[in-house]
Amino acid sequence: MELPLKFAWASLVYLVIGSTLGIIMILDSTLFRPSHVHILLIGFVGMMIFGVGYHLLPVFAGTDLYSLRLAELHFWMQNIGLLGLAFTMPYRQTSDTAHTGSVVFGLISLAAIYLFAFNVARSIIIPREDK
Ligand code: HEM
Ligand code: HEM
């Protein structure tokens, strides 16, 4: 499957999961609030923007994507980081393991975001040879 579509599918799955969590949170909003927020903002909003961004931003700039392999790596790191965060964040104040998990998955998520920023910036700053 094309990479932008992988991001789009992930985004739709996170929209369904995050919104379902939102309904459950109407009963008690505190515990899962950080999971809800990050599943929807990194998962739904972010993944859609990453996918569309990888496809469109180089087109707008008249360039090619700098590295498809880095973008693939970004996809996996962002998903692993987000799922890890979503499962550990609710318990991070009551369990040392969950706290360490949040830090580790948070760093993976952050590194993934840096990869996206680097890859897109590198793609749109450096013009194609034939331009
Ligand atoms: C069926 C859809 C949704 C339901 C039922 C729902 C429900 C909730 C609930 C109950 C809370 C906790 C509010 C509180 O603490 O009093 C919340 C917080 C939040 N939701 Fe949703 N939500 C939904 C969709 C979304 C979507 C689509 C997004 C973003 C794309 C979103 C972003 C947020 C954010 C950022 C917060 C935290 C707000 C804050 O910090 O005050 N939610 N949501
Ligand atoms: C890079 C990885 C990220 C990490 C490790 C992270 C971590 C955190 C932490 C620890 C909190 C406090 C949660 C709490 O009060 O229990 C938080 C809150 C929040 N984060 Fe993130 N965050 C990340 C990325 C993002 C991104 C990309 C967005 C938006 C696009 C975002 C939106 C928010 C919002 C709206 C809140 C407030 C939630 C609330 O009201 O409960 N975060 N984040």
Side-chain angles (χ1 to χ4, degrees):
M1 191 191 292
E2 292 282 322
L3 188 73
L5 286 180
K6 277 197 206 170
F7 275 104
W9 273 113
S11 168
L12 293 177
V13 170
Y14 289 123
L15 172 63
V16 171
I17 297 172
S19 304
T20 308
L21 202 54
I23 287 289
I24 295 166
M25 282 161 52
I26 290 172
L27 305 173
D28 175 9
S29 71
T30 45
L31 188 61
F32 295 110
R33 186 162 141 161
S35 308
H36 172 75
V37 165
H38 293 87
I39 286 174
L40 284 162
L41 293 181
I42 302 181
F44 167 51
V45 180
M47 297 285 174
M48 194 60 86
I49 293 174
F50 297 143
V52 174
Y54 276 131
H55 186 70
L56 283 187
L57 294 175
V59 174
F60 289 160
T63 58
D64 293 320
L65 182 63
Y66 171 64
S67 169
L68 189 58
R69 281 177 62 186
L70 278 188
E72 287 275 357
L73 179 65
H74 168 215
F75 177 80
W76 290 110
M77 284 173 67
Q78 200 74 74
N79 279 282
I80 291 165
L82 175 57
L83 289 172
L85 269 183
F87 280 107
T88 54
M89 274 176 114
Y91 311 104
R92 74 185 200 286
Q93 270 143 359
T94 49
S95 146
D96 284 345
T97 315
H99 183 266
T100 310
S102 289
V103 173
V104 171
F105 289 115
L107 287 172
I108 294 173
S109 303
L110 191 61
I113 286 171
Y114 288 168
L115 267 187
F116 172 73
F118 168 75
N119 204 357
V120 168
R122 186 74 212 276
S123 310
I124 62 181
I125 287 169
I126 314 285
R128 252 198 322 241
E129 294 290 309
D130 59 351
K131 288 253 30 157

